[in-house]
Amino acid sequence: MTGVQFGELPLLTEDDGARSCVYSPDGKSFAVGLYSGDISVYSTSNWERTHTLEGHSNWVMSIVYSPNGDQIASGCADMTLRLWRAETGECTRIIIGHTGFVNAVAYSPQGDQVASASDDGTVRLWDVVTGDCHQTLPGHIEPVNGIAYSPKDDQIASGGDDNMVRLWNIVTAECIRTLSGHGDSVWGVAYSPQGNQLVSASADKTIRLWDVETGGCRHVLIGHGNIINGVTYSPRGDQVASGSQDGTVRLWDIETGVCLHTLTGHGNTVYTVVYSPERDQIASCSSDTTVRLWNVSGGSLRVDSKGHSQMVYSVKCSSKGDQIASGGLDTTVRLWNARTGECLKVLRGHTQTASGVVYSPQGDQIATCSSDSEVRLWNVESGDCLHILTGHSGGVEEVAFSPQGHQVASVSTDKSVRLWNVTTGDCCATLNGHTDNVLSVAYSPDGRQIATGSSDSTIRLWSVENGELLQALQGHESFVRRVAYSPRGNQLASAGGDMTVRLWDVQERECHFLLIGHSHYVWCVAYSQKGDLLASGSLDKTVRLWDTVSGQCRTFIQNFQDGIRAADWITTSDGLYLVNGCDDGSVLKWQVVEKEDLCSVRLQWNATNGTLTMTGASIQDVHGLTQTNKQLLKQRGAVGEPEHVFRNASTMVMTMASVVSNFKQLSDKAVQDPPSNADTRNEQPSQHVEETNDP
C-alpha cells in the first residue's frame, strides 16, 4: 500500500479521541467530534483548523451538516443535541429531551428537521427553527445507535441494541417495516443515494444490504474481525465503506458484496467513516487519537496525523538531545521525542512549505521559516507562536539562531539576509550582496560571523557586528544548498547542485577538501558535536559520513526510499546519533558507532507518514528478529513477543517473511558495500554492519 501525499490534520492529545467526523456538503469543510466534547472544524483547502465548537460536556457521538451547509447538528453523551452556525461556530440552540446518550443525529433532506437516536430507546424528530420535538418513535426496546433519513424524505431508518433495523413513516410516525437478520446490536444505518437500498452494520461483525421496498436482504458482507461501528455509501452508491473495532476500514462493492480494499493503519477502534462529496477520499476517525484520509480508488493512505505527509525539508536537534524538530512541504513543524520517535507536538501557522527549523541554544524556543515569506518564533513547551517576523519579499529558505540565542538570521529568495532581535521581533540588519536566491545560513560558533550559500554559486562570509562582507568563497559550479560551521569554527562545509561537498579553512578562506561521491544534488551537511564526522545527504538517496581531518568517506547509508534533504546530530550519554529527513515524509534516527577504523550505523527508529502498517499482526512466531526489527514492527501496530531472538538475524521466518524482509532492507542491510561505479575521490570506506539486541 503506497502513501499518497495530501494534507495534514492536527494531532489529538493522548487522552482524547475522535468519535465522529463529517464533510460539509460542498466538501470545503471537515468537522471532527472529540471525546472532550469539542468539535474541531477544518478547511479542506489547507487542512488548517478554522474554529472549535465548545459546549458539550462529554463525547460527541455524532455530527452532521445541514443539506445547505450553513448549520451543524451534534449529538452527545451529555444527552443533548446542539445546533451550530457552521460559518462562525456559534451555538444557536441546545435541545434537551432525551434521557440517555444521543448516539446519532441526521438532518432531513429539506433541512427543516433533525432526527436523533438515543440510549433511552427512542427516536425523536425535532424542528430546527423552534427546537420543539415533533414526533417520538418508541418502537425499539433497547438503546438506538443509528439513524438515517431516506433521500426521498418519506422514511427514517433506525438500528438498535435489539438487533433490529426499523423503517418509519415520517408523517404518521408508524413503523412500516422491521428488518431482522443481525445476531447482535445494530450500530449504524445508511441509505443509498438513490434511496432504494439500505446498509446496516452490526456487533455481529457483519454488514447487511437491504432492499428498501421489499425488506429483503441482498448481501451479507463478512470480513471484519470485530464489532462494526460505522457504515456509509459512496456518493454514487456503488460502494460501501465500513469501520470496525478491529481497527480497519473496508470498502465493499454493493453489486457483488466483495471487499475491494482493507485499509489498515488505525491502532484502535474505528468509529466513523465518511466519503468526501467528490468521492475521491474517505475519512475515518478512531479512538487511537487519529483522523485519517484515504485514497478511495487505490485504497492507500493519503493523510495520517502521526507524521509528515510530504517531503521533510529540515530537521534539527535540541541542544540537550531530547527532542527533534522537523519541517516539511505539508506546512507543519513537528516536535519528536528523540529517544522513542513519538510525535510530541505539531506547530501550525505557516501556509506554505516549512523550509527551516532550528532550536534556540537554551532549547526553550524554536525558529521556523517558510516559503510564505515568514519567520516564526515558538515556545517549545506550549507550542505557542511568540513572534511572526515579516520583511522578506520572497520565500525564506533557512533560519539560524546565534550562539547566544539573542538573534536569528534568515535568508530568502529575495536575495537578502536579515538579522532579527529575538526579544522584540524587530529586524536589526539587512545584508545584501548575493545576486540570486540565498538558500542557507549558519552562525560561526563564536557568533561573530555568518556564512551564507546562494544560487549564485558563492558562499559569503559576513560580520555580524556591522554587516560587512568579509569574503566571497568561489568554487562550486552550481547552487550552494547548505553551509555549516564545524564546532570549533575552524572549518566550513558546503554542499550543492554540483553533487560535491567542500571543506573550507575559515582562517585561510580556501577549500582544503573536495569530497566527491554523491551522484545527485547534495542537499544537506551537518557536523557531529566533536566535529570529526560530517554527514552529507543527497537526492541520490544516500547519506555519507566523512572524516573531516582526512577528507575520507568513513561509511555511507543507502537504500533510503527517497532523497535526503535534512541532517543533524545528537550526542547523549548513550552514544552518537544521526537524524535525517527525507522526501517520502519520513524522519529517521540512526545510531553511529565508531570502533577504531570501523564505523557502523544502525537504524533506531523511523517516523513515517504511516504508509506501512502492521496493525494487529502477530510476531509471536517470527524467528530472527533483532530488537530494532521488533521496534519497527510494533511502531506499525504489530503485537506479541518473538520466543527466540538470535544475534545474527536469520532469513528463516515462519509467518511474516515479506514483512521482515521489508524492515531488514531498512535496518539490517541499509549499510552495504559501495557500488562499483561510485565516483569517489578518496579510498573506499570501510564497512561494518552490526546486529544488536540493544534497544
Side-chain angles (χ1 to χ4, degrees):
M1 191 173 291
T2 304
V4 181
Q5 301 152 3
F6 179 74
E8 193 67 39
L9 295 184
L11 282 174
L12 307 175
T13 61
E14 290 186 0
D15 58 352
D16 208 346
R19 187 61 178 80
S20 51
C21 60
V22 65
Y23 282 93
S24 62
D26 60 8
K28 294 181 179 180
S29 295
F30 182 76
V32 182
L34 307 179
Y35 286 4
S36 64
D38 291 344
I39 300 170
S40 295
V41 182
Y42 304 86
S43 166
T44 58
S45 62
N46 55 14
W47 292 103
E48 291 291 328
R49 194 196 319 254
T50 57
H51 41 273
T52 300
L53 316 185
E54 299 177 341
H56 283 301
S57 60
N58 209 325
W59 289 14
V60 180
M61 306 293 287
S62 178
I63 49 178
V64 62
Y65 276 89
S66 61
N68 62 8
D70 64 351
Q71 215 176 54
I72 294 174
S74 57
C76 182
D78 63 10
M79 299 185 289
T80 70
L81 287 78
R82 285 179 180 252
L83 304 183
W84 314 80
R85 186 168 288 114
E87 185 177 0
T88 64
E90 175 192 359
C91 180
T92 59
R93 189 168 298 281
I94 302 173
I95 299 176
I96 300 173
H98 282 295
T99 58
F101 286 11
V102 180
N103 295 315
V105 291
Y107 271 99
S108 65
Q110 303 301 320
D112 57 337
Q113 283 188 353
V114 168
S116 58
S118 171
D119 270 2
D120 63 14
T122 68
V123 173
R124 291 175 181 254
L125 309 185
W126 309 86
D127 186 282
V128 169
V129 176
T130 65
D132 295 335
C133 180
H134 281 186
Q135 299 278 5
T136 299
L137 314 181
H140 289 283
I141 58 175
E142 293 189 52
V144 188
N145 304 310
I147 191 89
Y149 270 94
S150 166
K152 299 177 181 180
D153 206 11
D154 59 345
Q155 280 185 13
I156 286 178
S158 60
D161 281 0
D162 57 7
N163 308 348
M164 298 296 180
V165 176
R166 293 177 179 269
L167 306 185
W168 308 83
N169 183 293
I170 293 177
V171 177
T172 65
E174 294 178 356
C175 180
I176 56 178
R177 183 166 281 115
T178 299
L179 309 180
S180 60
H182 282 298
D184 208 333
S185 299
V186 178
W187 283 90
V189 292
Y191 279 95
S192 66
Q194 298 77 22
N196 61 330
Q197 287 186 18
L198 182 77
V199 63
S200 58
S202 172
D204 67 6
K205 308 176 189 178
T206 71
I207 298 164
R208 289 179 175 258
L209 300 181
W210 308 88
D211 185 292
V212 170
E213 185 175 350
T214 66
C217 180
R218 299 187 58 220
H219 288 295
V220 179
L221 312 182
I222 300 174
H224 281 295
N226 208 328
I227 293 171
I228 304 170
N229 297 299
V231 66
T232 187
Y233 273 93
S234 64
R236 286 210 306 255
D238 58 337
Q239 288 183 7
V240 163
S242 56
S244 167
Q245 287 190 22
D246 64 12
T248 69
V249 175
R250 287 179 178 254
L251 309 185
W252 308 83
D253 184 283
I254 67 163
E255 291 300 322
T256 64
V258 172
C259 179
L260 303 173
H261 296 290
T262 300
L263 312 181
T264 60
H266 281 297
N268 213 323
T269 297
V270 179
Y271 283 114
T272 306
V273 289
V274 289
Y275 278 87
S276 66
E278 293 80 14
R279 191 185 176 274
D280 65 336
Q281 181 182 316
I282 283 178
S284 57
C285 63
S286 167
S287 59
D288 68 0
T289 76
T290 69
V291 175
R292 300 181 180 231
L293 310 183
W294 309 84
N295 181 302
V296 176
S297 58
S300 57
L301 178 64
R302 303 185 73 168
V303 176
D304 179 357
S305 60
K306 290 295 188 184
H308 285 288
S309 62
Q310 302 187 53
M311 294 179 184
V312 176
Y313 270 84
S314 179
V315 293
K316 281 293 186 293
C317 304
S318 64
S319 57
K320 295 180 181 178
D322 58 338
Q323 276 191 17
I324 297 166
S326 60
L329 187 61
D330 61 8
T331 76
T332 68
V333 174
R334 293 176 178 270
L335 308 187
W336 309 86
N337 181 305
R339 185 178 62 85
T340 65
E342 175 192 4
C343 185
L344 304 173
K345 283 187 179 69
V346 181
L347 309 183
R348 299 176 180 277
H350 288 299
T351 58
Q352 296 183 41
T353 300
S355 50
V357 296
V358 64
Y359 282 90
S360 65
Q362 297 78 20
D364 59 338
Q365 290 187 20
I366 286 178
T368 64
C369 62
S370 169
S371 302
D372 62 12
S373 304
E374 293 180 351
V375 175
R376 289 178 176 246
L377 302 181
W378 310 79
N379 181 286
V380 171
E381 184 175 355
S382 67
D384 294 335
C385 182
L386 306 174
H387 289 294
I388 301 176
L389 314 181
T390 59
H392 283 295
S393 59
V396 186
E397 292 291 319
E398 193 175 26
V399 65
F401 264 102
S402 66
Q404 297 77 26
H406 65 274
Q407 197 177 76
V408 163
S410 59
V411 293
S412 169
T413 57
D414 64 10
K415 308 177 187 178
S416 74
V417 183
R418 286 180 177 257
L419 308 183
W420 309 85
N421 183 297
V422 170
T423 304
T424 65
D426 296 332
C427 181
C428 310
T430 301
L431 314 180
N432 295 304
H434 282 294
T435 59
D436 207 335
N437 301 337
V438 191
L439 305 175
S440 183
V441 62
Y443 277 91
S444 62
D446 61 11
R448 295 179 179 179
Q449 288 185 12
I450 284 177
T452 55
S454 169
S455 293
D456 63 13
S457 304
T458 70
I459 300 160
R460 293 178 181 253
L461 306 182
W462 312 81
S463 167
V464 173
E465 184 179 2
N466 56 28
E468 177 186 352
L469 176 63
L470 303 175
Q471 185 74 39
L473 307 180
Q474 297 182 337
H476 281 289
E477 298 176 359
S478 185
F479 60 84
V480 180
R481 182 67 248 185
R482 196 69 69 220
V483 292
Y485 277 96
S486 65
R488 289 195 301 160
N490 62 320
Q491 198 176 72
L492 181 74
S494 60
D498 59 7
M499 300 181 287
T500 70
V501 177
R502 291 175 181 259
L503 304 184
W504 307 81
D505 186 289
V506 172
Q507 187 173 359
E508 298 178 6
R509 296 172 184 172
E510 292 181 353
C511 180
H512 278 195
F513 289 111
L514 173 64
L515 311 182
I516 300 175
H518 286 294
S519 59
H520 208 312
Y521 300 154
V522 186
W523 212 260
C524 57
V525 287
Y527 281 94
S528 63
Q529 273 76 358
K530 290 197 303 182
D532 59 331
L533 286 177
L534 180 79
S536 60
S538 169
L539 300 192
D540 65 7
K541 305 180 186 179
T542 70
V543 170
R544 289 178 175 261
L545 304 186
W546 307 87
D547 187 296
T548 59
V549 176
S550 67
Q552 292 183 346
C553 182
R554 295 289 305 279
T555 190
F556 67 93
I557 313 169
Q558 61 180 13
N559 286 339
F560 282 90
Q561 299 302 304
D562 219 325
I564 296 92
R565 293 185 185 262
D568 202 8
W569 293 86
I570 298 174
T571 300
T572 68
S573 58
D574 297 330
L576 179 64
Y577 299 90
L578 175 68
V579 180
N580 296 119
C582 304
D583 279 357
D584 62 2
S586 61
V587 177
L588 302 95
K589 182 185 176 187
W590 308 85
Q591 183 174 20
V592 179
V593 180
E594 295 181 271
K595 293 180 180 179
E596 298 177 353
D597 293 334
L598 296 177
C599 186
S600 64
V601 182
R602 314 172 199 168
L603 181 64
Q604 189 179 50
W605 53 255
N606 177 4
T608 71
N609 64 354
T611 59
L612 180 56
T613 59
M614 290 305 304
T615 302
S618 174
I619 57 175
Q620 189 70 35
D621 297 321
V622 181
H623 292 244
L625 291 178
T626 66
Q627 198 71 14
T628 298
N629 296 145
K630 290 190 291 181
Q631 284 179 334
L632 289 168
L633 289 167
K634 286 188 175 182
Q635 284 176 11
R636 288 154 181 81
V639 296
E641 281 287 337
E643 296 178 350
H644 306 286
V645 177
F646 301 114
R647 183 169 182 79
N648 295 317
S650 170
T651 58
M652 182 188 70
V653 294
M654 296 179 65
T655 58
M656 294 166 59
S658 61
V659 175
V660 175
S661 175
N662 286 339
F663 282 106
K664 287 175 69 61
Q665 180 183 11
L666 279 174
S667 58
D668 301 337
K669 297 182 180 179
V671 182
Q672 299 183 351
D673 293 333
S676 59
N677 62 348
D679 181 16
T680 58
R681 169 185 176 273
N682 308 290
E683 296 179 7
Q684 296 295 344
S686 57
Q687 301 292 319
H688 184 59
V689 185
E690 287 193 14
E691 289 294 339
T692 177
N693 292 332
D694 298 330

